[in-house]
Amino acid sequence: MEVLLLYFLFINILVFIFAGYDKSQARKNNRRVPEKTLFLMALTGGSPGLLTAMLLFRHKTSKTSFIVKFAVILLIQVALILAYVNYKK
């Protein structure tokens, strides 16, 4: 269980850093982090980190297609967590 918690901590910190870096690069009109990379990191457990970065840095918050895709990832993750919790009962 500790390994799983460390993994989630690591992936969330990593996606937070990547999103912050992407925002910094966007301001400078430099090469960006691909959205696929951010989505993959969110899908593998980094949703809280990406959501925090989006709100803190105001990053990708006005891009509807990004918000919709991210919301789908969040809904899938919540559904999986609920299914797991109900299965454990």
Side-chain angles (χ1 to χ4, degrees):
M1 190 65 159
E2 288 179 22
V3 172
L4 189 59
L5 291 174
L6 286 174
Y7 167 76
F8 281 117
L9 180 64
F10 174 76
I11 193 70
N12 279 284
I13 289 171
L14 193 62
V15 73
F16 182 84
I17 291 169
F18 269 61
Y21 175 75
D22 187 51
K23 178 65 176 190
S24 170
Q25 293 297 89
R27 286 182 180 151
K28 298 174 188 174
N29 263 346
N30 287 340
R31 192 173 183 151
R32 309 272 304 274
V33 176
E35 284 186 3
K36 287 181 183 181
T37 302
L38 296 175
F39 287 136
L40 180 62
M41 294 172 85
L43 193 59
T44 58
S47 295
L50 183 56
L51 180 60
T52 303
M54 288 170 62
L55 296 174
L56 186 66
F57 303 133
R58 294 185 189 182
H59 188 48
K60 305 270 189 191
T61 54
S62 63
K63 193 168 182 187
T64 305
S65 65
F66 189 90
I67 299 290
V68 169
K69 292 172 188 173
F70 183 65
V72 168
I73 290 171
L74 276 176
L75 289 173
I76 291 169
Q77 289 174 336
V78 168
L80 288 173
I81 290 169
L82 290 175
Y84 176 75
V85 168
N86 287 329
Y87 175 76
K88 286 296 239 181
K89 288 182 180 178

